[in-house]
Amino acid sequence: MRSIWNGAISFGLVSIPIKLVNATENHSISFRQIHLEDGGRIRYHKVCELEDKEVANDEIGKGYEDADGSIIPITEDDLAQLPIPTAKTIEIVSFVPAERIDPLQMGTAYYLQANGVPAAKPYTLLREALKRSNKVAIAKFALRGRERLGMLRVVDDVIAMHGLLWPDEIRAPEDAAPDSHVTVRDAELDLADALMDTLGEVDMDSLHDDYRDAVEEMIESKASGAEPAETPKKSDGGGGKVIDLMSALESSVRAAKKARSEGEEGEDVAEVTELSSRSRTKKTTAKKSTATKKTAAKKTTAKKSAPAKKTTPAKKSTSSKKTTSAKKSTPAKKKPTPRKKASA
């Protein structure tokens, strides 16, 4: 990574030589302005309004426009002579808990690299001290002609610095709040909580710019001479329409549960669908009618099978006859006994 600033971190009497590099990069697609008639590039020329002619970059300086419209020239020497102790130094002024920093203040992020072997020991000392204290360092530094406020924190094994806005650069939020008094019911809060729980957490690394992907595909199609594929337009979510808040929350919870169940792989997730009172009534009626039909069918079957029970006595009489005949035939079996005695 290319450094954009070289200097040192001032940590009390400890000086740590460092290089400043950008921690973020911009992946947005930029467009050029063109002439619609022939596709030619539109370019801007820097023109002096007094002489009405184009001026080269080496003839252009800085100036401050006063309240009356007059311009006060400011040279680089004027700026260099200003007493800015942080011109080449990131001066740590205090250490505070991280939660004391309002996210509204946070701006551009940088990585601080140790500049050279001698800087490794004090750099590591500051990094480990920040880790153990669970605090962040507030510092002042100068960049691109102005003094700025920064916050130093540890990211993995690197010290990162976030540019901070000065407190007086943050606007008060009062004017952005709704003017009218609104009461939120507990039922609405419960549904909002249910929606938050259903949406759950997300892996930040899995998020990406869908719009940029679509623009790149469209550009590739146009470059190859093909017509770009039409993509379905997403709903604007109602825009400025007045909606039933409870109905919208309930629909959101159902949609979130469905999306979550479809997104989980290898797991059988039951989808919970909340029924309206009308559909509940229909299902209850259907269950009752089904139960009635089943009961009637059972009664009919029982009536049809009743005559079969009357045949039971016949079976008993048959068995009794068999028993009687068996008893009568018993003496015949005993007749051979006297013969055996007689022969003896």
Side-chain angles (χ1 to χ4, degrees), residues 213-243:
D213 294 343
V215 172
E216 288 176 348
E217 291 178 6
M218 179 264 292
I219 292 174
E220 289 177 3
S221 298
K222 281 184 167 287
S224 62
E227 287 294 327
E230 293 186 3
T231 55
K233 294 183 178 180
K234 292 185 178 181
S235 172
D236 60 358
K241 297 178 182 178
V242 178
I243 59 175

Side-chain angles (χ1 to χ4, degrees), residues 93-138:
V93 296
S94 68
F95 294 88
V96 299
E99 56 269 19
R100 287 268 304 276
I101 305 300
D102 191 336
L104 284 173
Q105 287 186 262
M106 298 178 67
T108 307
Y110 307 93
Y111 289 138
L112 305 181
Q113 290 182 336
N115 192 0
V117 176
K121 182 64 180 287
Y123 183 97
T124 305
L125 172 65
L126 176 59
R127 183 191 67 198
E128 296 304 313
L130 287 171
K131 280 184 179 180
R132 191 168 71 171
S133 67
N134 291 322
K135 293 182 177 181
V136 297
I138 304 300

Side-chain angles (χ1 to χ4, degrees), residues 302-323:
K303 288 180 179 179
K304 288 182 178 179
S305 60
K309 292 181 179 179
K310 293 180 179 179
T311 60
T312 304
K315 290 181 181 178
K316 288 182 179 179
S317 61
T318 303
S319 60
S320 62
K321 286 180 181 180
K322 289 182 180 179
T323 305

Side-chain angles (χ1 to χ4, degrees), residues 40-58:
R41 282 276 307 275
I42 301 297
R43 300 182 182 274
Y44 293 94
H45 299 278
K46 298 179 180 180
V47 177
C48 176
E49 64 179 14
L50 298 179
E51 298 181 2
D52 194 19
K53 71 174 185 179
E54 188 175 352
V55 179
N57 285 333
D58 57 0

Side-chain angles (χ1 to χ4, degrees), residues 11-70:
F11 177 32
L13 297 178
V14 178
S15 181
I16 311 170
I18 56 98
K19 293 180 180 180
L20 193 70
V21 299
N22 284 317
T24 61
E25 53 189 6
N26 187 0
H27 289 168
S28 61
I29 298 173
S30 58
F31 298 100
R32 303 292 187 184
Q33 290 185 327
I34 61 172
H35 187 197
L36 293 177
E37 185 175 342
D38 55 18
R41 282 276 307 275
I42 301 297
R43 300 182 182 274
Y44 293 94
H45 299 278
K46 298 179 180 180
V47 177
C48 176
E49 64 179 14
L50 298 179
E51 298 181 2
D52 194 19
K53 71 174 185 179
E54 188 175 352
V55 179
N57 285 333
D58 57 0
E59 298 180 42
I60 299 174
K62 297 178 181 178
Y64 175 80
E65 185 175 3
D66 206 353
D68 58 1
S70 61

Side-chain angles (χ1 to χ4, degrees), residues 121-180:
K121 182 64 180 287
Y123 183 97
T124 305
L125 172 65
L126 176 59
R127 183 191 67 198
E128 296 304 313
L130 287 171
K131 280 184 179 180
R132 191 168 71 171
S133 67
N134 291 322
K135 293 182 177 181
V136 297
I138 304 300
K140 289 183 178 182
F141 67 103
L143 184 65
R144 299 188 180 97
R146 55 169 290 198
E147 188 173 53
R148 303 168 188 265
L149 193 63
M151 178 191 76
L152 277 63
R153 69 184 184 96
V154 179
V155 177
D156 295 335
D157 289 331
V158 177
I159 299 176
M161 181 173 69
H162 296 267
L164 298 179
L165 295 174
W166 297 98
D168 59 358
E169 292 178 319
I170 299 177
R171 294 178 176 177
E174 284 82 5
D175 295 338
D179 295 333
S180 57

